[in-house]
Amino acid sequence: MILAVDMGNTQTALGLFEGGELLCAWRMPTDCTFTKDEIHVRLQGYFRMYGREVSCIGAIAFAGVVPQLRREWQGVADQLGVPIMMVGRDTAAVTPVRADNPAEVGADRIANAVAAATFYGAPAIVVDFGTATNIDVVDTDGSYIGGAIAPGIRISMDALAARAAQLASVPLEAPERFIGRNTVEAVQNGLVVGTAAMAEGLVRRIKEELGAPGARVIATGGLAGVVAESTDVFDVIDPQLTLRGICEIHRRMTA
């Protein structure tokens, strides 16, 4: 079985795959103080929660942005006695990237592009609601060509709560109406509906520039379902798109 790891700045998503099928998935915090031993113990707990043992892992496919934790995950692979594949420079041969500086493209964005083209066809546009809100664009040849990066919803909420003394943190959910009749609704409109409107505007402009009005639009990330309640711009909502892309890259590298 393949353990796919998508390590973001605040959360790490993990998925266990067998033959390309996602058997189970979970999330844990991305903590720069974690050692390989702590990660190993957490893995054992998650696996036992699903009635499995870590000994079923045959390889780790990893995409991450925190260098010191990449080293710790390498240590986890060594402890398990399995190979680890790092998405990025080592997998460039099977992940077409046509951006100006391919080395600057995040591993998660590469995985999103691969998954979008593989499972939904090209051209495609992926909107990933994570720590940042990333928009990844795949051209008609299936290559990642660029996109947009904006502050994520939680970052915006934290900044708003920190700078505006009378605005406490509110539930991140779609409000019932666009005119907020109280502070909670007003903040939810600004954050959730505002993010949906941003996605609509950027997607429309990207389709025009790409010359592909029929490009599939896929939403992913932890808050994709919340934002999708306020817009019809998405053709597909796939919360596990990045993990599936990481697994597909591993399949290509080992084929």
Side-chain angles (χ1 to χ4, degrees):
M1 298 184 186
I2 307 301
L3 178 65
V5 181
D6 171 25
M7 185 186 67
N9 287 294
T10 56
Q11 287 190 334
T12 298
L14 304 99
L16 186 65
F17 288 83
E18 183 174 28
E21 178 185 358
L22 180 61
L23 303 179
C24 51
W26 61 96
R27 290 177 179 269
M28 68 181 194
T30 298
D31 189 331
C32 292
T33 68
F34 282 170
T35 65
K36 63 180 184 297
D37 298 320
E38 289 172 306
I39 296 172
H40 195 164
V41 169
R42 281 177 173 265
L43 282 181
Q44 290 176 324
Y46 289 127
F47 271 68
R48 287 171 184 164
M49 181 172 66
Y50 286 101
R52 302 179 183 276
E53 296 294 332
V54 294
S55 57
C56 73
I57 300 173
I60 297 175
F62 181 90
V65 297
V66 184
Q68 59 266 43
L69 286 179
R70 286 204 297 266
R71 293 191 292 269
E72 297 304 322
W73 274 97
Q74 178 66 63
V76 171
D78 293 341
Q79 288 178 332
L80 295 174
V82 300
I84 184 169
M85 178 207 76
M86 300 281 187
V87 175
R89 185 176 302 173
D90 294 341
T91 62
V94 298
T95 55
V97 176
R98 292 178 51 209
D100 289 346
N101 298 297
E104 294 179 355
V105 180
D108 55 339
R109 307 188 79 180
I110 294 173
N112 283 343
V114 167
T118 301
F119 302 113
Y120 300 109
I125 301 167
V126 179
V127 187
D128 189 346
F129 298 98
T131 301
T133 297
N134 291 333
I135 299 184
D136 306 315
V137 183
V138 182
D139 68 8
T140 54
D141 296 326
S143 299
Y144 171 89
I145 59 172
I149 302 174
I153 299 177
R154 293 191 188 281
I155 287 178
S156 299
M157 180 69 255
D158 291 345
L160 190 61
R163 295 299 183 96
Q166 295 185 10
L167 294 181
S169 181
V170 303
L172 290 177
E173 56 189 42
E176 295 182 357
R177 50 199 171 196
F178 296 133
I179 301 175
R181 302 300 177 87
N182 53 61
T183 300
V184 170
E185 289 182 352
V187 171
Q188 289 173 334
N189 267 305
L191 293 175
V192 179
V193 181
T195 297
M198 177 188 70
E200 291 170 354
L202 284 170
V203 165
R204 178 175 59 80
R205 287 165 171 79
I206 288 169
K207 284 184 174 182
E208 290 174 357
E209 186 172 316
L210 195 60
R216 300 293 295 278
V217 183
I218 305 115
T220 191
L223 291 171
V226 174
V227 178
E229 293 180 22
S230 298
T231 179
D232 59 0
V233 73
F234 305 121
D235 298 305
V236 179
I237 301 172
D238 186 344
Q240 311 300 345
L241 184 77
T242 312
L243 289 175
R244 298 209 294 148
I246 294 168
C247 184
E248 171 62 17
I249 293 170
H250 182 272
R251 186 197 67 77
R252 294 181 184 184
M253 290 294 294
T254 57

